[in-house]
């Protein structure tokens, strides 16, 4: 077998579970776990938009997987399986596809989820891939963006800004001697599996940028938020970049950390739920318009020229 | 609101159901109907590959919807909802997107299914869209490609070949005075809702071409098939095209009719189940290697230079 069907048999069939029906039928067949709700998300990665032409294909696959897993993490969901689309150019080398499939295999093993189906195509344009990821939650246990209330504390997992500094490093605009920024840009860590249900009022993953994604929470919740900019957790490398990069760090995207609104006084329980995952309190929610304010350690407003990433 | 979020609010939020959570969360939340299995499929449409740059955007949307519905039809599934991805160029006019959304709205109303979520992006390349469609079936009732046995009759719904003749018409290679070929290329009719469960041994939709898709059934079922070429149902326009187009008709794709394997003697029940949908017996399954043979009305083999459509 050659061509499209040969590629499917060689690279994708080994990744598939029983739900995929051998990748030889018109659709996948999944029996949802009894009594649970399904959580469904889709994300694209397009060459020149979400990844650079020279990015290793295995890491493109793993970042695509992890961006979707991060959406499930933000909903407090467990991953069940995924559908994949690929659109490759005639001159995309076979080695690109084999490395891409190796990346999928690596993260399927890491996160314990199988391929259920997909669609492959040719394209005259940039290489394009997408994943539709399906997860599940206990009924009513899904975390939402709305639900934050004035007085809630604002937390973030991990560190912020490394991924966007990795983009600037790829452009030669900032040094990256240890490769830390590059690693964070290429291989984010989705915060899947934290036991946040019942503990938090709202959650979102930081994909468009800390300020913008917090703005989404504010609009959905009908309140404002204050970020104490000096509390935002930075890696040693991001800290070493200095204050000139502060706005980039606060507004750059692609971190895939979780922003969490939780009632004051719940910090101990929250830290137990996040066992092993770094968690930093970086601000709080306030009554009023759904605006995000950043303040410095003296409480003075930090002015931001832009708030985050949008397509167009 | 402008840009990405403004477009989502203007064009897509009106199409969304409660499962979409206002298109303002990280994922959709769907409660699967108790006791049913989920059926999941995804299809892409890329400018220059699956549609022509001048194709009306509303019909691009509807064909995308219908290609996915056809996959559900081939599984005997009921449609529940869908996720949408779009990747538009900076110079894609706003009118393209508004027409695209109108097409989605028209077919949502026609087929009774809502938008649950999606992902929008920019792209430097061809416009790209995909739909992940979610359906459901009674446990064990899904139709499959495997299951045909020697002696089964082979049926097809509707007529074959109009869509591929529409592609040749778009290239000026065949006349299309009534626009019939164009209409069939741009707006296929998915055969959703036929009550085939328990009546048929196998089913598939004709997307890659009659011969190739029948080959998929043969490989999955472990038997061969014979097409009586002169029985293949043609529209008056396709019939008028003459014998020079026979191979194109038998091997061209994009028909989205159903190919069905059913036990001999079940024809009456099958016609009742397909009430209102044209159904033609065009051949039968035979023991042996999973090969597809076409024969003329005297039983002589019809030689085909190609079997169907593959990407790459």
């Amino acid at each position: 077998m050659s061509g499209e069907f040969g590629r499917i048999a060689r690279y994708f069939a080994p990744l598939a579970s029983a739900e995929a029906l051998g990748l030889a039928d018109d659709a996948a067949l999944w029996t949802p776990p009894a009594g649970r709700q399904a959580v469904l998300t889709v994300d694209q990665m397009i060459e020149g938009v979400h990844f650079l032409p020279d990015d290793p294909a295995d890491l493109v696959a793993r970042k695509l997987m992890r961006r979707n897993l991060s959406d499930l993490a933000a909903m407090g969901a467990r991953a069940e399986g995924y559908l994949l689309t690929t659109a490759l150019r005639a001159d995309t080398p076979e080695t690109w596809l084999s490395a891409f499939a190796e990346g999928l295999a690596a993260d399927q093993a890491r996160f314990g989820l199988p391929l259920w189906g997909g669609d492959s195509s040719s394209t005259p344009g940039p290489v394009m891939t997408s994943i539709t990821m399906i997860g599940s939650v206990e009924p009513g246990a899904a975390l939402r963006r709305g639900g934050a209330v004035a007085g809630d504390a604002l937390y973030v997992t991990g560190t912020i800004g490394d991924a966007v500094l990795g983009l600037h490093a790829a452009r030669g605009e900032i040094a990256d001697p240890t490769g830390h920024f590059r690693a964070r840009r290429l291989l984010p860590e989705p915060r899947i599996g934290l036991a946040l249900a019942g503990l938090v009022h709202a959650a979102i993953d930081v994909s468009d940028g800390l300020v913008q994604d917090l703005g989404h929470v504010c609009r959905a919740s009908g309140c404002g938020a204050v970020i104490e900019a000096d509390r935002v957790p930075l890696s040693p490398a991001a800290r070493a970049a200095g204050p000139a990069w502060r706005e980039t760090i606060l507004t750059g995207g692609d971190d895939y950390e979780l922003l969490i609104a939780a009632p004051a006084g719940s910090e101990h329980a929250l830290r137990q739920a996040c066992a092993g995952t770094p968690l930093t309190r970086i601000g709080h929610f306030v009554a009023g318009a759904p605006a995000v304010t950043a303040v410095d350690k003296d409480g003075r407003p930090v002015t931001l020229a832009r708030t985050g990433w949008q397509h167009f």
Side-chain angles (χ1 to χ4, degrees), chain A:
Chain A
M1 247 189 326
S2 63
E4 180 182 1
F5 302 111
R7 288 178 177 214
I8 292 170
R10 176 178 298 175
Y11 297 114
F12 297 128
L15 303 176
S17 65
E19 286 83 357
L21 307 176
L23 300 180
D25 232 300
D26 286 289
L29 199 55
W30 172 55
T31 303
R36 288 176 71 90
Q37 290 182 295
V39 180
L40 303 115
T41 187
V42 59
D43 267 318
Q44 307 172 81
M45 283 185 62
I46 300 173
E47 183 182 8
V49 181
H50 306 91
F51 66 97
L52 304 176
D54 291 339
D55 287 349
D58 60 328
L59 297 183
V60 172
R62 297 177 76 181
K63 184 168 180 177
L64 175 62
M65 187 89 93
R66 288 162 181 235
R67 291 175 68 218
N68 280 278
L69 282 165
S70 181
D71 284 326
L72 293 191
M75 301 288 289
R78 174 178 90 196
E80 299 279 353
Y82 71 100
L83 309 178
L84 173 74
T85 75
T86 59
L88 306 183
R89 279 193 308 268
D91 65 355
T92 304
E94 187 91 0
T95 50
W96 194 95
L97 184 59
S98 65
F100 184 83
E102 281 169 20
L104 294 175
D107 269 0
Q108 285 192 200
R110 163 80 194 281
F111 296 102
L113 84 168
L115 177 66
W116 285 351
D119 183 45
S120 58
S121 177
S122 57
T123 178
V127 168
M128 194 287 308
T129 77
S130 77
I131 278 180
T132 303
M133 196 165 281
I134 298 95
S136 73
V137 287
E138 291 295 321
L143 310 180
R144 302 283 306 275
R145 295 180 178 181
V149 296
D152 277 356
L154 171 66
Y155 298 90
V156 69
T157 59
T159 61
I160 291 295
D162 297 304
V164 69
L165 294 178
L167 186 59
H168 287 280
R171 294 177 184 155
E173 296 163 359
I174 188 172
D176 186 21
T178 67
H180 173 77
F181 296 147
R182 181 173 192 273
R184 287 291 308 273
R185 175 176 75 82
L186 290 173
L187 197 62
E189 187 63 37
R191 299 301 186 180
I192 199 96
L194 306 184
L196 302 177
L199 281 176
V200 310
H201 283 163
I204 193 172
D205 72 325
V206 181
S207 53
D208 295 334
L210 180 66
V211 172
Q212 183 163 298
D213 288 313
L214 182 54
H216 294 321
V217 172
C218 289
R219 275 186 295 279
S221 301
C223 60
V226 177
I227 300 173
E228 299 169 50
D230 293 325
R231 287 184 176 271
V232 172
L234 304 184
S235 67
R239 191 168 299 280
W245 291 95
R246 180 167 70 172
E247 174 162 340
T248 298
I249 288 167
L250 292 178
T251 60
D254 250 13
D255 292 312
Y256 305 102
E257 299 293 350
L258 291 187
L259 265 182
I260 293 166
S266 67
E267 185 158 337
H268 181 69
L270 194 57
R271 290 195 180 283
Q272 286 192 311
C274 292
T277 298
L279 188 73
T280 307
R281 188 172 60 74
I282 61 168
H284 59 283
F285 289 85
V286 294
V292 174
T293 312
V295 298
D296 67 15
K297 63 181 183 300
D298 301 314
R300 285 184 298 241
V302 174
T303 305
L304 302 172
R306 60 189 288 273
T307 59
W309 172 257
Q310 282 200 30
H311 289 288
F312 289 45

